[in-house]
Amino acid sequence: LGFAQAVVASADFAELKGSLIAAAPRTKEEAAAIVARFQTKDFPAATLPARQAIIDHCFAGDSMADIVARLSREAASDGSSDSGAATALDMLRHRCPFSMVLTHEFLKRIKGLSVEEVLQIDYRLALRCITTADFNEGIRAVLIDKDNQAKWNPATIETVDAATVERFFAPLPATERVLNWIG
């Protein structure tokens, strides 16, 4: 993706750290020269750019149900190459349907809002999410029983009630605490 300027094997981290400390480079260029001595050329090429068109298409759906349908179609037509659609679809099928629908709606609504407005909505959703049975079920499945077999309610994205999602976005009652911004 072009995020990394150098790749260093984990086994070389301690020696790299020692070299950087010993040399105490004063500039980025001096530090880069030290890192370059440890840089490996043996790392796989990024696969995400080759999948970007598929990702853009599948996740451009207007709803989570649409995204799942697009991923399903892509996974079914994938043949022998792995676009990642089947992996993404499997991951989504194990996540909380209500949370995914709520998050998708959140991402649609925050476009163009200020950071303060986004954080206020995020706070509102967090307060409401921690009181749901799904929140407790997720904790049970992952942290307590560690069976990763959560029983979500509703069980599918398609059965999430739009009115319930909408209620999560309603302003907090005056009796509830709201975020106060330091500014």
Side-chain angles (χ1 to χ4, degrees):
L1 295 177
F3 293 141
Q5 295 172 342
V7 175
V8 176
S10 299
D12 295 333
F13 280 2
E15 191 177 351
L16 170 60
K17 180 181 173 184
S19 294
L20 287 167
I21 291 169
R26 292 186 166 169
T27 66
K28 288 192 295 186
E29 292 77 19
E30 289 175 2
I34 295 167
V35 171
R37 293 195 329 246
F38 295 90
Q39 185 171 325
T40 182
K41 304 292 185 223
D42 297 330
F43 57 93
T47 58
L48 194 56
R51 298 175 177 174
Q52 193 63 54
I54 293 167
I55 293 166
D56 291 345
H57 169 72
C58 290
F59 286 89
D62 291 331
S63 68
M64 278 307 300
D66 188 27
I67 291 169
V68 168
R70 289 172 184 225
L71 284 168
S72 295
R73 285 191 299 275
E74 179 60 35
S77 69
D78 204 11
S80 61
S81 68
D82 180 19
S83 66
T87 302
L89 188 60
D90 184 58
M91 184 196 70
L92 291 179
R93 287 188 172 141
H94 289 90
R95 301 299 184 259
C96 175
F98 182 80
S99 293
M100 287 189 294
V101 171
L102 185 68
T103 300
H104 187 264
E105 184 62 27
F106 172 71
L107 294 172
K108 288 188 331 189
R109 290 183 185 212
I110 64 172
K111 288 180 182 168
L113 298 181
S114 70
V115 171
E116 291 83 6
E117 291 168 317
V118 170
L119 290 174
Q120 186 64 52
I121 295 170
D122 191 46
Y123 177 70
R124 186 182 300 161
L125 296 179
L127 286 178
R128 291 184 170 130
C129 283
I130 62 173
T131 65
T132 66
D134 278 343
F135 182 80
N136 292 331
E137 177 61 7
I139 290 172
R140 183 213 55 80
V142 175
L143 300 176
I144 297 170
D145 295 342
K146 298 180 182 175
D147 62 6
N148 292 312
Q149 298 295 316
K151 305 288 186 257
W152 305 118
N153 185 18
T156 66
I157 288 168
E158 295 78 12
T159 57
V160 171
D161 178 52
T164 303
V165 171
E166 189 61 35
R167 282 194 297 274
F168 272 64
F169 287 95
L172 296 172
T175 57
E176 290 186 56
R177 182 181 203 124
V178 295
L179 282 177
N180 291 316
W181 299 103
I182 300 172

